[in-house]
């Protein structure tokens, strides 16, 4: 049936009359202004930081679950492939682009209702278009003693979209999927599935106990194309009495290994409840600027001497470790003491930040003016302010600056407000392998990938995050100039070399970009055979997001996709 439908679609897609009829039907469902195939309206869905754009058939923007159901049923009638997205800000992994050409983008951004917030039990029920900023503002405006967990992807990103990609944030609730309870999903049949206890009309604990009774299905709708999630319950974190941050600076690269091993027991025993991030110097250097082309003309990575000077100006070491401490004043004080004791025998220099210290630091930085010490202190205060905002559930786009590193123009005016790396013509690949929380694995992975970045002429941006008590999630960034054709080619080659190397070494990425969907199946893998069988049962015509986390189907789409 799938092959028949694909052949039918390819034939009809070339027929202008068929396309006009489909557009008319789409507009009848969502309204004339919310379905278009106009090139201007499609622009943001054809741009990607990852140098592999695709061309959609059209875009449709439903406003309700009922409209999504109607769209799915219309798609079934016409054999029309649908590509749902929440807000289309999947930076570095495909942005707002479908896996293949000629798919109908279903932009769920208009579905932005905060359906419910329970101020006693601390959960929210939201739709796909609800952004980090929107939910944060709601909690603040209503003066509720609950915070959201924030990612560094920017205020305008979708809460749900990140969760469905199994993204992670910064706070004690940073392993976001563990704090989800109850989904509503539109299936390819047009039926609406409620998970957990949600399918019982009188259930009282749908958003409190995620497993329900019977098979636990929620995970099937993350990193999959089995349905369109239209509602999700998320747990909020209690506002803390006291928040401190700690920053550890490690001057020499090889000294980061013992620091990881020293902090691991504190992550495992609950002293470190938040996700701890370990970033190299490039993460700090790129925090407020683009590549200094005037100082390194005709080069795509920093010369060692210049990198050292920029590191010194930023007051950074080879590595910076950051994390937040939450609780009562006594609990935070105990955590500070435990961190000091754990790091005593390492080469890390550790500082603890409170909001009071930041205020004093800001005043001192202003007094020091443009002196070297003033510039360094101002940079550290700016980083601290952004971290404190994030830890208290106030999203900040500062950490998107690295995406702009090789952009020829300066950071956009007003950055990070409304930052959009894809539309701003930024070049960026993200590769996100997961590794054991051991210092030796950090050093081994770095040793594996650094020569590949150097061989292709790119600075290695890397962060290792303690995403749970036993694993590190790495984010390796290739930032490149999209206006330099030769550099684009080198970036693609670098990406593939790094991706292949981490896969071969057993450091498997926890999520991948559209360009790598086909590479997930090494061949004859029982896991992916099982995934394909589930897909065939739930969506036999292959209508929803063809090729997304579907390696067999993706191979054909990638072979014919736009470059």
């Amino acid at each position: 049936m799938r092959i028949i439908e694909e052949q039918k679609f390819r034939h009809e897609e070339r027929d202008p009359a068929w396309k006009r009829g489909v557009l008319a039907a789409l507009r009848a469902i969502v309204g004339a202004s919310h379905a278009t195939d106009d090139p201007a309206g499609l622009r943001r869905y054809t741009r990607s930081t990852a140098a592999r754009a695709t061309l959609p058939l059209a875009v449709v923007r439903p406003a309700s679950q009922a409209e999504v159901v109607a769209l799915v049923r219309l798609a079934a009638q016409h054999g029309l492939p649908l590509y749902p997205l929440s807000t289309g800000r999947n930076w570095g992994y495909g942005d707002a682009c479908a896996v293949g050409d000629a798919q109908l983008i279903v932009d769920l951004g208009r579905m932005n209702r905060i359906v419910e917030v329970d101020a006693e039990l601390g959960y929210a029920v939201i739709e796909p278009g609800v952004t980090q900023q929107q939910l944060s503002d709601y909690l603040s405006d209503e003066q509720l003693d609950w915070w959201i967990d924030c990612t560094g992807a920017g205020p305008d990103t979708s809460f749900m979209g990140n969760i469905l990609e199994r993204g992670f944030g910064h706070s004690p609730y940073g392993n976001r999927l563990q704090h989800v309870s109850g989904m509503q999903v539109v299936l390819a049949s047009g039926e609406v599935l409620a998970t957990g206890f949600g399918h019982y009309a009188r259930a009282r604990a749908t958003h409190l106990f995620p497993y329900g009774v019977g098979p636990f299905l929620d995970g099937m709708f993350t990193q999959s194309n089995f349905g369109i999630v239209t509602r999700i319950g998320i747990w909020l974190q209690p506002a803390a009495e006291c928040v401190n941050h700690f920053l550890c600076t490690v001057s020499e690269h090889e000294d980061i290994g013992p620091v990881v091993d020293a902090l691991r027991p504190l992550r495992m025993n609950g002293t470190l409840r938040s996700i701890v991030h370990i970033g190299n110097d490039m993460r700090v250097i790129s925090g407020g600027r683009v590549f200094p082309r005037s100082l390194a003309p005709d080069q795509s990575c920093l010369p060692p001497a210049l990198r050292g000077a920029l590191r010194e100006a930023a007051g950074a070491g080879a590595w910076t470790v950051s994390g937040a401490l939450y609780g009562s004043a006594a609990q935070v004080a105990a955590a500070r003491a435990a961190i000091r004791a754990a790091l005593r025998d390492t080469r890390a220099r550790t500082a603890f930040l409170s909001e009071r210290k930041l205020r004093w630091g800001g005043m001192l930085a202003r007094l020091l003016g443009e002196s070297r010490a003033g510039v360094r202190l101002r940079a550290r205060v700016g980083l601290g302010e952004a971290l404190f905002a994030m830890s208290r559930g106030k999203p900040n786009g500062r950490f998107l600056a690295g995406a702009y590193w090789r952009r020829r123009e300066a950071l956009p005016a007003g950055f990070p407000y409304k930052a959009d790396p894809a539309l701003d013509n930024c070049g960026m690949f993200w590769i996100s392998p997961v590794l054991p929380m051991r210092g030796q694995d950090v050093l081994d992975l770095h040793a594996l990938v650094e020569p590949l970045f150097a061989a292709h002429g790119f600075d290695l941006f890397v962060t290792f995050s303690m995403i749970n008590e036993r694993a590190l999630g790495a984010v390796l960034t290739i930032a490149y100039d999209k206006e330099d054709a030769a550099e684009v080619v080198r970036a693609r080659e670098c990406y593939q070399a790094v991706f292949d190397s981490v896969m071969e070494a057993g450091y498997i990425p926890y999520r991948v970009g559209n360009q790598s969907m086909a590479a997930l199946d090494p061949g004859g893998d029982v896991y992916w055979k099982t995934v394909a069988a589930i897909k065939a049962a739930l969506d036999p015509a292959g209508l929803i997001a063809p090729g997304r986390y579907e390696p067999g189907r993706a191979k054909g789409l990638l072979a014919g996709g736009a470059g």
Side-chain angles (χ1 to χ4, degrees), residues 300 406 408 456-458 480-494:
S300 55
R406 289 292 295 160
R408 295 194 181 190
H456 291 89
F458 295 103
Y480 65 95
D481 181 358
K482 288 191 74 173
E483 297 181 42
D484 184 329
E487 190 165 322
V488 170
V489 171
R490 285 192 289 109
R492 289 176 174 174
E493 292 172 347
C494 183

Side-chain angles (χ1 to χ4, degrees), residues 128-472:
V130 173
T131 66
Q132 296 195 119
Q133 188 70 62
Q134 182 184 352
L135 186 54
S136 175
D137 287 346
Y138 179 89
L139 298 177
S140 178
D141 293 344
E142 296 297 318
Q143 299 182 331
L144 301 179
D145 289 330
W146 300 96
W147 295 341
I148 67 167
D149 173 71
C150 294
T151 72
D156 303 316
T157 52
S158 163
F159 228 103
M160 185 188 295
N162 180 265
I163 289 170
L164 297 182
E165 274 292 287
R166 302 202 282 265
F168 54 86
H170 287 71
S171 74
Y173 281 40
N175 193 351
R176 289 174 146 200
L177 187 58
Q178 288 190 335
H179 300 93
V180 164
S181 185
M183 296 181 178
Q184 290 187 11
V185 187
V186 177
L187 302 176
S189 64
E191 298 171 295
V192 178
L193 167 70
T195 67
F197 287 135
H199 56 101
Y200 293 105
R202 295 184 178 85
R204 297 173 181 264
T206 297
H207 302 301
L208 308 174
F209 183 78
Y211 311 108
V213 59
F216 181 44
L217 301 180
D218 296 51
M220 287 175 47
F221 299 99
T222 68
Q223 291 191 6
S224 80
N225 56 4
F226 296 159
I228 301 176
V229 182
T230 55
R231 188 172 292 187
I232 195 169
I234 60 170
W235 294 341
L236 306 168
Q237 60 173 327
E241 172 191 323
C242 180
V243 179
N244 278 191
H245 271 274
F246 71 93
L247 290 171
C248 301
T249 301
V250 179
S251 297
E252 302 300 327
H253 164 69
E254 61 274 8
D255 291 333
I256 193 59
V259 173
V260 172
D261 292 334
L263 292 177
R264 181 179 61 246
L266 303 186
R267 185 75 170 105
M268 295 181 77
N269 69 20
T271 301
L272 292 176
R273 297 169 53 220
S274 72
I275 290 182
V276 177
H277 299 279
I278 306 164
N280 74 341
D281 58 342
M282 288 305 304
R283 294 294 189 203
V284 180
I285 289 169
S286 65
R289 63 176 306 156
V290 296
F291 186 89
R293 293 176 185 272
S294 62
L295 301 177
D298 303 319
Q299 298 190 56
S300 55
C301 61
L302 294 174
L306 178 56
R307 181 168 174 170
L310 293 175
R311 179 197 292 182
E312 171 69 18
W319 295 94
T320 299
V321 183
S322 67
L325 308 176
Y326 294 80
S328 67
Q331 289 172 322
V332 170
R336 289 198 304 264
I339 291 169
R340 287 192 186 99
L343 295 176
R344 185 173 296 133
D345 294 329
T346 72
R347 293 176 182 254
R349 300 193 307 274
T350 306
F352 295 93
L353 298 177
S354 65
E355 290 176 293
R356 181 181 179 185
K357 282 186 177 180
L358 275 180
R359 287 194 295 270
W360 281 106
M363 292 171 59
L364 180 57
R366 287 191 291 274
L367 289 173
L368 292 172
E370 294 304 314
S371 66
R372 177 179 295 185
V375 171
R376 289 180 57 177
L377 182 57
R378 189 157 53 250
R380 294 181 71 85
V381 168
L383 174 61
E385 290 173 342
L387 290 172
F388 262 99
M390 298 267 283
S391 67
R392 290 179 173 274
K394 303 294 184 183
N396 188 294
R398 171 193 172 98
F399 302 101
L400 270 179
Y404 291 77
W405 179 244
R406 289 292 295 160
R407 185 176 183 255
R408 295 194 181 190
E409 300 176 50
L411 289 172
F415 181 87
Y417 179 72
K418 296 294 182 182
D420 189 322
L423 291 183
D424 289 337
N425 205 34
C426 298
M428 175 180 64
F429 287 103
W430 276 348
I431 308 167
S432 303
V434 174
L435 57 155
M437 195 186 296
R438 288 189 291 246
Q440 190 58 54
D441 281 281
V442 168
L443 295 172
D444 288 348
L445 179 61
H446 192 278
L448 175 68
V449 302
E450 185 180 42
L452 299 175
F453 275 75
H456 291 89
F458 295 103
D459 292 308
L460 168 59
F461 292 71
V462 57
T463 301
F464 296 98
S465 300
M466 295 183 174
I467 51 178
N468 62 29
E469 293 78 10
R470 292 167 176 81
L472 293 166

